[in-house]
Amino acid sequence: MEKRIAVIGAGAIGGYTGGQLAHNGFDVTLIDPWPEHVETIRKDGLALEGMTEEEFVCARPRTMHLTEAQQLAKEKPIDIAMVAVKSYDTEWMTQLVKPYLAPGGYVVSLQNCINEERIANIVGWGRTLGCIASRISVELFEPGKVRRQAHRPRVLQADPLESRQYR
């Protein structure tokens, strides 16, 4: 059975990661607060630029403005929710997605900082996965357009139990 993925925050890191997953056939929904960005992706797709012209892809992930998130209640639950927002938005975005998680679903902190404890306080340590985006260097430079600016992006992750050691 295919996992259902939601990326909460479709900016630079969330847009690039979610866009690449969608382009490669994964069931991804991007949820973002910027209406112009959401509408541009719906209309034209999500342009993902790399270091060379050959790396360019136009992904067509499903998108939602965060005011449309209640629609998730009528759909199959989310297996993996990636929170990719600024640190100060972590808790309320985690609260937003929590009711739509599958019983075995979990939340990934796909951020530039360590927010696992904030997420775990909402969904529990057994449903929290830490992830640090490393050497990915991406920017959302206009609605619907993300550009990677460094070679060989890499993502390092820790399992949920290891994340607790670094509280």
Side-chain angles (χ1 to χ4, degrees):
M1 180 163 75
E2 185 176 10
K3 299 287 185 194
R4 183 148 187 249
I5 302 168
V7 179
I8 318 305
I13 292 173
Y16 185 81
T17 303
Q20 289 288 350
L21 288 168
H23 180 71
N24 285 284
F26 289 88
D27 179 5
V28 177
T29 300
L30 303 180
I31 303 170
D32 197 77
W34 187 16
E36 188 178 0
H37 184 48
V38 171
E39 290 307 317
T40 299
I41 296 169
R42 286 177 179 167
K43 181 177 172 252
D44 303 324
L46 178 58
L48 302 172
E49 297 181 8
M51 299 294 292
T52 65
E53 287 183 29
E54 295 79 32
E55 295 176 78
F56 175 84
V57 297
C58 185
R60 298 218 172 255
R62 177 178 183 221
T63 57
M64 289 183 164
H65 184 268
L66 65 87
T67 60
E68 299 170 316
Q70 73 277 4
Q71 179 180 325
L72 294 170
K74 299 175 184 176
E75 301 174 6
K76 178 181 171 232
I78 295 166
D79 298 298
I80 304 165
M82 297 181 178
V83 174
V85 296
K86 301 294 184 200
S87 188
Y88 50 78
D89 288 326
T90 300
E91 285 135 332
W92 76 268
M93 289 293 219
T94 304
Q95 288 285 3
L96 177 82
V97 75
K98 180 183 176 182
Y100 311 116
L101 284 176
Y106 55 93
V107 178
V108 177
S109 173
L110 182 60
Q111 299 170 282
N112 287 329
C113 49
I114 301 171
N115 283 306
E116 289 77 15
E117 187 165 3
R118 290 177 175 190
I119 292 169
N121 285 338
I122 296 165
V123 298
W125 279 109
R127 300 180 82 183
T128 302
L129 181 67
C131 180
I132 298 174
S134 173
R135 293 175 56 189
I136 193 167
S137 187
V138 289
E139 69 171 330
L140 173 63
F141 62 96
E142 63 184 74
K145 296 185 179 181
V146 177
R147 177 185 302 132
R148 183 173 54 80
Q149 300 177 322
H151 292 286
R152 293 186 297 273
R154 148 179 99 178
V155 176
L156 303 176
Q157 66 185 30
D159 79 34
L161 298 177
E162 287 179 16
S163 296
R164 290 196 327 195
Q165 295 176 13
Y166 304 104
R167 300 194 299 184

